[in-house]
Amino acid sequence: MSAAPGQPRQRQQQDAADEADTVDVKVPRQSGVAVYLPGYIGSVESALQTLGGETALGKALQENSLLKLRLRPEDPASHPLIGERLERPGLVLRVARPRGQPDAAPHISVACRTHASYAFTGLANYQYLGQDHGQVRGAS
């Protein structure tokens, strides 16, 4: 690579390195709302249940209100975590790696764009539960 007049060789090498790190990405037109859940999601159904079901989630999204997350949705005495709506754009990435190939490079694509998100940043109100919690008393 020869140096162009007026441009040092080091600058040309830096420009070439910057171009090597550039990636073109197609961003779909779909837009949604991201929900950052604090924990591992085993299934979509259980995640929706902790948020109060599809109706409660849809209502919170339409009214731009707070979102409640119950870590034990079957327990009416459990205290919910409160998620605040944050109006900030973002992207949801889909990261996939071929099964059985831990050293293979992951395939990364954009699933959708987001215009808002819910984050549960408050502290949880932990409760002590006895060993008999969840058992029906008086049943034989």
Side-chain angles (χ1 to χ4, degrees), residues 1 39 56 60 82:
M1 179 189 292
I82 304 299

Side-chain angles (χ1 to χ4, degrees), residues 49-127:
Q49 185 180 8
T50 60
L51 294 170
E54 288 184 37
T55 55
L57 182 60
K59 183 178 178 183
L61 293 175
Q62 285 179 347
E63 297 176 358
N64 292 338
S65 62
L66 299 175
L67 189 59
K68 293 183 180 181
L69 170 69
R70 294 188 183 276
L71 298 175
R72 293 187 321 271
E74 69 281 350
D75 185 3
S78 71
H79 297 240
L81 296 172
I82 304 299
E84 297 180 42
R85 184 179 175 108
L86 306 170
E87 298 292 333
R88 61 179 174 196
L91 298 173
V92 176
L93 300 179
R94 180 180 292 127
V95 180
R97 185 184 305 261
R99 291 184 189 262
Q101 301 176 9
D103 296 333
H107 175 72
I108 302 171
S109 61
V110 178
C112 75
R113 67 180 71 207
T114 61
H115 58 273
S117 62
Y118 280 92
F120 299 92
T121 58
L123 296 174
N125 185 0
Y126 291 102
Q127 296 172 319

